Amino acid sequence: MLIGVPLETLPGEKRVATVPEVVEKLIKLGFQVAVQSGAGDAANFADDTYRAAGASVVPTAADIWAKSDIVFKARVPTPNEVAMLREGGTLIGFVWPAQNPDLMQQLAAKMATVLAIDCLPRQLSRAQKMDALTSMAGISGYRAVIEAANAFGRFFNGQITAAGKIPPAKVFIAGAGVAGLAAIGTAANLGAIVRANDTRAEVADQVVSLGGEFVKVDYEEEGSGGGGYAKVMSEGFQAAQRAMYAQQAKEVDIIITTALIPGKPAPKLITAEMVRSMKPGSVIVDMAAEQGGNCELTEPGHAVVKHGVTIVGYTDLVSRLAKQSSTLYSNNLLRLTEELCKTKDGVINVNMDDDAIRGLTVIKEGAVTWPAPPLKLPAPPPQKAATAVAVAPKGHGHGAGEPMSAKSLATVFGVGAVLFLLVGLYAPASFLSHFTVFVLACFIGYMVVWNVTPSLHTPLMSVTNAISSIIAIGALVQVAPPLTGGIADRPNALILGLAVFALALTAVNMFGGFAVTRRMLAMFRK
């Protein structure tokens, strides 16, 4: 089958639905690939790179749409593009069936099979590799911070210089989904003080782990709507949320909004009054601008200044990192194609018994199959009945964490003293000296490890493991020829071989221990 990749026609769209690296993998699956000339130019993928990867480059969009068995798209197809689609062809890309009913009818009239990447059941763990919504949201969150920094005109991180003290920027992010979390991590890495809010309480730990502070709304209500999205909240919650946003607007320098609800216009979170209360020179980046915007004053597709605040309403944040977004998106489509062509013979099988494929398929051979039936998720395992098992609390003694009694302590020391006495009376002098060093080493090692933060135990033990490779000296002694003595003093072949083998293993242990320690400690450095 032939996979066709047309040039995206939406003004300002720079992405391309597949890249040369993925073309090679599609060909290995048994497909032929045709790319419209210039389709990858805006993302820095020239026609020659596609030819080198094995794709054919055709001059016009009509050649792609009319001759391809499968068409890969990044943006929703236009009516003119659908008119060029071959009868019974397959389209894979973003469709948004809830927002485009007329497009769905036009595609159905073409007897097409349509797989909408935006309808992927994100609850399935194996669907993550095909989740283009997540990969694109991560890029847009990162780019939103870059746009905010460009419009802000000041450092994000605080600095003390000879010319004066510069305070760190304060950033508030409304919505801690994939895009919001990407924005939190980027802003925190740039040195800003980051605050975030989300209707889903379970994301609070993720916000903190990325260096942000979770700002809670003073109203108890669960906001998870399933599938990674938030639900529409009650009026009481929304009133409390608006009060919190109004307070944050007065304090912060930058607001980034990411709130979207599938199939609905973007909720209005930032009012005109909040914008007026912000400090002159502040910035709002409205990532929901394409769906109407979270700010009342947003103008989709433009950056405007109102009441001294720059409001960025770009609808092409993902396209502004075209090469990166094209690469990730094409990888998502590749993983989907692998699921459709498990036989690797260049023929796809739209298996409606597969939950992931069923969720993606919005039209099958002209029949509208959207929306998909609810997923039959496995039932949670039955909870075991609580058993009355007494758990001893942490402590240094016995029983319920009480310190060891004087009698028990005396008994332990008495037994230890007897054992040392027996060792001293009957053991050779050489053994006694080594045994003393061993006991002292155990005591010192225990005290050292006991006082180390538990999170550093792994790097500590790995470097200890490396240091313990001092036994390499013993192997070197066996391998090195003796300076004095005759042939009889030299080790035989078996001992020499074991020594060389031990030396090799010790070298791996030594260098590996230090390498692990270095990588583990790097995780604790900011």
Side-chain angles (χ1 to χ4, degrees), residues 209-222:
S209 68
L210 289 170
E213 174 192 350
F214 188 79
V215 182
K216 194 174 184 298
V217 176
D218 190 17
Y219 194 98
E220 293 298 329
E221 183 177 350
E222 175 53 41

Side-chain angles (χ1 to χ4, degrees), residues 195-418:
R195 304 170 185 169
N197 168 261
D198 197 278
T199 57
R200 298 160 294 181
E202 65 268 19
V203 303
D205 290 340
Q206 300 176 42
V207 171
V208 174
S209 68
L210 289 170
E213 174 192 350
F214 188 79
V215 182
K216 194 174 184 298
V217 176
D218 190 17
Y219 194 98
E220 293 298 329
E221 183 177 350
E222 175 53 41
S224 179
Y229 294 101
K231 69 175 184 180
V232 178
M233 307 300 287
S234 67
E235 182 55 39
F237 182 93
Q238 291 181 37
Q241 187 182 54
R242 284 193 293 270
M244 183 269 289
Y245 284 163
Q247 181 62 34
Q248 292 297 323
K250 296 176 183 177
E251 297 178 5
V252 301
D253 303 299
I254 296 168
I255 296 178
I256 298 175
T257 65
T258 71
L260 280 174
I261 298 173
K264 296 181 181 294
K268 300 300 180 185
L269 305 179
I270 308 299
T271 64
E273 184 60 33
M274 294 180 194
V275 175
R276 280 192 288 268
S277 71
M278 295 182 72
K279 293 174 285 188
S282 298
V283 178
I284 296 174
V285 179
D286 194 340
M287 295 180 61
E290 193 168 5
Q291 302 299 325
N294 296 136
C295 177
E296 287 184 350
L297 303 180
T298 296
E299 294 184 11
H302 303 282
V304 296
V305 178
K306 297 185 178 180
H307 307 296
V309 177
T310 302
I311 304 173
V312 179
Y314 296 146
T315 58
D316 59 348
L317 289 174
V318 174
S319 187
R320 288 170 180 255
L321 287 171
K323 187 164 188 174
Q324 183 67 77
S325 55
S326 297
T327 301
L328 293 183
Y329 182 64
S330 61
N331 277 321
N332 293 140
L333 296 189
L334 170 66
R335 300 310 171 197
L336 172 57
T337 307
E338 289 174 342
E339 291 293 316
L340 294 169
C341 183
K342 294 183 178 180
T343 54
K344 299 183 179 181
D345 58 355
V347 178
I348 63 171
N349 174 30
V350 183
N351 181 12
M352 299 297 273
D353 293 328
D354 185 312
D355 287 339
I357 302 303
R358 175 63 188 89
L360 284 165
T361 307
V362 296
I363 299 176
K364 177 70 181 294
E365 298 174 355
V368 177
T369 59
W370 179 86
L375 288 175
K376 296 179 181 179
L377 298 175
Q383 294 184 352
K384 296 181 180 179
T387 55
V389 179
V391 180
K394 294 182 179 180
H396 299 288
H398 300 284
E402 296 294 332
M404 187 181 294
S405 65
K407 183 177 180 180
S408 300
L409 189 62
T411 302
V412 170
F413 273 97
V415 172
V418 171

